[in-house]
Amino acid sequence: MKYRNFKDKQISEIGLGTWQLGSSDWGPVNEDHALSVLSAFAEAGGNFIDTADVYGMGVSETVIGKFLTTIDKEFFVASKLGRRHDGDNAWPQNFTYEKMRAHVESSLEHLQLDSLFLEQLHCIPTTELEAGRVFDHLRRLQQDKLIQHWGVSVETAEEAKICLQQSGIASLQIIFNLFRQHYAEEFFVEAQEKEVAIIARVPLASGLLSGKYKKDSQFLPTDHRSYNANGEAFNAGETFSGIEFQKGVDLAVQIAAMFPDERTPQWAIRWILDHPGVTTVIPGASSPEQVRSNASASSMDSLPSSVHQQLKALYQSEIRPGIRGHF
């Protein structure tokens, strides 16, 4: 595993996204299995975990907290807030200092931590980012030593650029993969100049870029790849990166044919790591084997420039015109 700089720390360039470990939106995962996934990640050299308070409403954070008590190695945990519904409408009530502090304290309790390495706003409305009060609240939480760093998980390049104007921001998390390439040209350089980390989420487009799905593949009704396949529940970009599933299967075949060998998911992650603006990639994993497969991308050579050019041409001609949802 290789590592990249995040402020004064070295974090693994392959992190672990833990939406799956919340036992919701991807189907149920029992605790022992979740712990085996986390253990495999540690054994592979990983040290950066991304979660959120709404991943199973604390389930993902709680299992991570139990895992952290079993190891001696330093881990860097990032969580997210802003999408909880605590018995009332989440927006705009979630964005007062009092509510944000309560949600941070809840995450710390679940994670069994005194301070969170990174707290992120979780794809909140653009209007709240423009108003700017949420950033003042994050700075106050940092002063209170409940969080060490803060960042924002965003849906669009516009939102990323708004956040980059805020002093003290440590990171931007955004969908970045072979089905969502253009962000590298829109704001990665500015982020690098300002020493803002880029956290790449949905690197395999909800598994579509792994090359393992067929057009007749089915998902459980409780899986977001079923109930949000076309953006019925939340932004379509969070599922298959906004690409219509059947078209995505065809595109994934074309992409796989451009790679040097059959390690399709690893090459898809390697493509992301080839961008120097990226600090870490956070693929999810539902098994230890998947963790090891994802982590192996860190030791692979970069893709040839000719392959990068072919993938960019395919994106511009066939992929980007088909992206749905706001991006």
Side-chain angles (χ1 to χ4, degrees):
M1 179 69 74
K2 296 187 176 79
Y3 302 84
R4 300 189 181 189
N5 190 55
F6 188 116
K7 297 302 182 185
D8 59 340
K9 301 295 184 180
Q10 291 289 299
I11 68 171
S12 53
E13 64 181 14
I14 307 291
L16 181 65
T18 59
W19 189 8
Q20 284 97 328
L21 303 189
S23 285
S24 63
D25 304 313
W26 293 82
V29 177
N30 70 53
E31 185 176 291
D32 287 343
H33 189 75
L35 290 169
S36 72
V37 168
L38 290 160
S39 295
F41 178 64
E43 291 164 5
N47 68 2
F48 180 79
I49 299 175
D50 179 83
T51 186
D53 55 10
V54 292
Y55 293 169
M57 290 306 295
V59 171
S60 176
E61 290 179 331
T62 298
V63 74
I64 292 166
K66 290 182 178 180
F67 166 73
L68 293 175
T69 65
T70 68
I71 57 168
D72 259 346
K73 178 179 175 181
E74 185 177 24
F75 262 75
F76 305 105
V77 180
S79 195
K80 298 185 286 291
L81 60 78
R83 303 190 70 86
R84 275 177 60 169
H85 289 257
D86 294 336
D88 56 14
N89 188 351
W91 292 342
Q93 289 91 332
N94 270 354
F95 308 125
T96 65
Y97 170 76
E98 290 75 20
K99 185 69 78 168
M100 288 174 62
R101 182 182 177 111
H103 289 174
V104 170
E105 290 175 337
S106 176
S107 291
L108 290 173
E109 182 179 355
H110 291 147
L111 291 162
Q112 302 185 52
L113 295 173
D114 296 322
S115 176
L116 198 58
F117 176 69
L118 176 68
E119 182 64 277
Q120 304 158 98
L121 300 173
H122 196 176
C123 300
I124 71 173
T126 308
T127 52
E128 293 291 339
L129 299 176
E130 291 172 330
R133 291 181 294 272
V134 286
F135 301 111
D136 292 332
H137 301 335
L138 288 167
R139 294 184 187 101
R140 186 174 170 186
L141 289 165
Q142 192 175 31
Q143 291 173 351
D144 294 343
K145 301 189 183 306
L146 292 177
I147 64 175
Q148 297 167 44
H149 304 287
W150 56 268
V152 189
S153 180
V154 298
E155 298 279 13
T156 70
E158 174 195 7
E159 291 171 349
K161 292 173 183 177
I162 292 169
C163 296
L164 281 171
Q165 305 315 306
Q166 292 290 330
S167 63
I169 185 172
S171 65
L172 282 171
Q173 183 181 138
I174 197 160
I175 298 169
F176 184 61
N177 59 41
L178 285 159
F179 285 168
R180 195 68 69 88
Q181 299 183 24
H182 62 282
Y183 295 136
E185 298 176 350
E186 296 202 18
F187 60 85
F188 279 20
V189 171
E190 182 180 358
Q192 279 186 281
E193 291 173 347
K194 294 183 175 181
E195 298 184 346
V196 175
I198 296 291
I199 301 171
R201 74 174 183 273
V202 198
L204 296 178
S206 309
L208 193 49
L209 284 166
S210 70
K212 67 181 182 180
Y213 295 138
K214 307 298 182 186
K215 289 187 176 181
D216 60 354
S217 295
Q218 299 290 315
F219 304 97
L220 293 171
T222 54
D223 191 313
H224 75 102
R225 292 170 293 184
S226 176
Y227 68 78
N228 194 59
N230 299 301
E232 297 93 334
F234 42 83
N235 181 21
E238 301 294 345
T239 303
F240 306 129
S241 296
I243 299 296
E244 190 274 325
F245 180 75
Q246 305 240 337
K247 180 176 176 61
V249 171
D250 288 335
L251 289 168
V253 171
Q254 293 183 61
I255 288 169
M258 297 178 186
F259 289 147
D261 55 45
E262 295 181 352
R263 293 176 293 174
T264 298
Q266 294 95 325
W267 284 121
I269 294 173
R270 183 68 251 176
W271 177 88
I272 299 172
L273 292 174
D274 286 349
H275 292 78
V278 171
T279 304
T280 187
V281 186
I282 51 169
S286 57
S287 69
E289 294 75 21
Q290 198 171 19
V291 170
R292 289 187 280 269
S293 170
N294 294 337
S296 69
S298 178
S299 61
M300 294 166 67
D301 292 334
S302 294
L303 283 163
S305 59
S306 59
V307 174
H308 275 279
Q309 291 167 6
Q310 292 172 18
L311 291 166
K312 184 176 181 179
L314 178 66
Y315 180 73
Q316 292 174 334
S317 64
E318 296 189 44
I319 299 174
R320 185 169 181 176
I323 298 175
R324 302 170 301 170
H326 50 282
F327 66 96

